[in-house]
């Protein structure tokens, strides 16, 4: 730890990719962790690896799209560690192959990426506001500023708006809201992308750092801030750059 009091952190999507790297980074800094994901075996193995004693890391298999699972997750966290200090809404999905309009259930992207963070935030806020402290960290995406996929970008544009609106609504309450916006990083979600990408550790460090030095929004890697600015100030040029990314991102396109 860097002189910071350990906190109880509830982390969704913890079994792989950015979530796994974030769990490792937060455990290394001494935080108490409540890890949530659907893959029970993988999640339990991760919790045991991070904390063989079982006293500081709790694994709770969870489908974040289900209200009963969300409520059971929070109840388990509070029973083990008391009130949740930090909620990291990391669980996320996309339409991984092909186009979203050909997918049988594209709206699951909205349920996981946007609805679940809103509902989990709604569950932890009463306790945070009553105590006058807490931190909501949402894992967004540069695709929430420079759109490259209709359904995924819709979810991340929504999450960005939710994060900034919520932060303003909670001013003066002691509850902080931060948005981490990754570009392409190596994960299961980007396995088919033919792009140079750093590992998920760059995002994990940003999450761990923002708990110590809160910021409203962090784009990682920083080079993606250029793409976001390009799309905002020069949308026609942003279209051309995004088109190249899309071509390299997808293996399956219409013939």
């Amino acid at each position: 730890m860097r002189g910071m009091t350990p906190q109880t952190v509830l982390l969704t999507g913890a079994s792989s990719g950015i979530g796994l790297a974030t769990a490792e980074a937060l455990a290394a800094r001494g935080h108490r962790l409540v890890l949530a994901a659907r893959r029970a075996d993988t999640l339990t193995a991760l919790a045991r690896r991070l904390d063989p004693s079982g006293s500081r890391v709790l694994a709770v298999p969870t489908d974040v799209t289900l209200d009963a699972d969300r409520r059971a997750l929070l109840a388990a966290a509070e029973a083990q560690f008391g009130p949740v200090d930090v909620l990291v809404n990391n669980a996320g999905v996309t339409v991984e192959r092909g186009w979203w309009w050909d997918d049988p259930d594209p709206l699951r992207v909205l349920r996981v990426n946007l609805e679940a963070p809103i509902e989990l935030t709604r569950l932890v806020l009463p306790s945070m506001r009553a105590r006058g402290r807490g931190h909501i960290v949402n894992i967004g995406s540069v695709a929430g500023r420079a759109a490259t996929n209709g359904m995924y970008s819709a979810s991340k544009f929504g999450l960005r708006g939710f994060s900034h609106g919520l932060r303003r609504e909670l001013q003066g309450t002691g509850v902080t809201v931060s948005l981490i916006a990754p570009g392409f990083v190596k994960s299961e979600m980007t396995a088919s992308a033919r792009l140079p990408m750093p590992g998920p550790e760059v995002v994990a460090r940003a999450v761990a750092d923002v708990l110590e030095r809160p910021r409203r929004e962090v784009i990682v890697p920083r080079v993606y801030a250029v793409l976001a600015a390009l799309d905002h100030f020069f949308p026609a040029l942003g279209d051309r750059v995004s088109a190249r990314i899309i071509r390299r991102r997808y293996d399956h396109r219409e013939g």
Side-chain angles (χ1 to χ4, degrees), residues 117-134:
I118 291 172
E119 290 294 345
L120 281 167
T121 298
R122 194 159 67 98
L123 289 177
V124 302
L125 269 184
S127 174
M128 288 183 176
R129 294 183 69 233
R131 289 178 288 128
R133 59 185 177 86

Side-chain angles (χ1 to χ4, degrees), residues 10-12 21 26 105 130 150 167 171 177 197 228 246 252-253:
L10 194 164
L11 170 66
T12 67
L26 295 177
D105 183 22
R167 179 180 53 80
Q171 289 181 102
V177 181
M197 294 177 283
I246 291 169
H252 301 282
R253 304 195 62 179

Side-chain angles (χ1 to χ4, degrees), residues 62 85 99 102 112 131 137-138 150 191 199 208 237:
T62 304
D85 299 308
W99 302 105
D102 293 324
V112 175
R131 289 178 288 128
V137 180
N138 292 324
L237 182 56

Side-chain angles (χ1 to χ4, degrees), residues 36-99:
R38 290 185 300 172
R39 290 177 284 192
D41 292 346
T42 303
L43 194 68
T44 300
L46 173 62
R48 288 174 179 165
R49 176 168 64 83
L50 295 178
D51 175 32
S53 73
S55 62
R56 299 187 65 81
V57 179
L58 174 67
V60 185
T62 304
D63 182 340
V64 296
T65 67
L66 301 178
D67 181 67
D69 277 24
R70 292 190 295 259
R71 292 180 182 277
L73 171 62
L74 184 58
E78 292 177 337
Q80 181 78 3
F81 298 125
V84 171
D85 299 308
V86 180
L87 169 64
V88 181
N89 284 309
N90 167 72
V93 298
T94 188
V95 176
E96 296 181 3
R97 306 185 73 80
W99 302 105

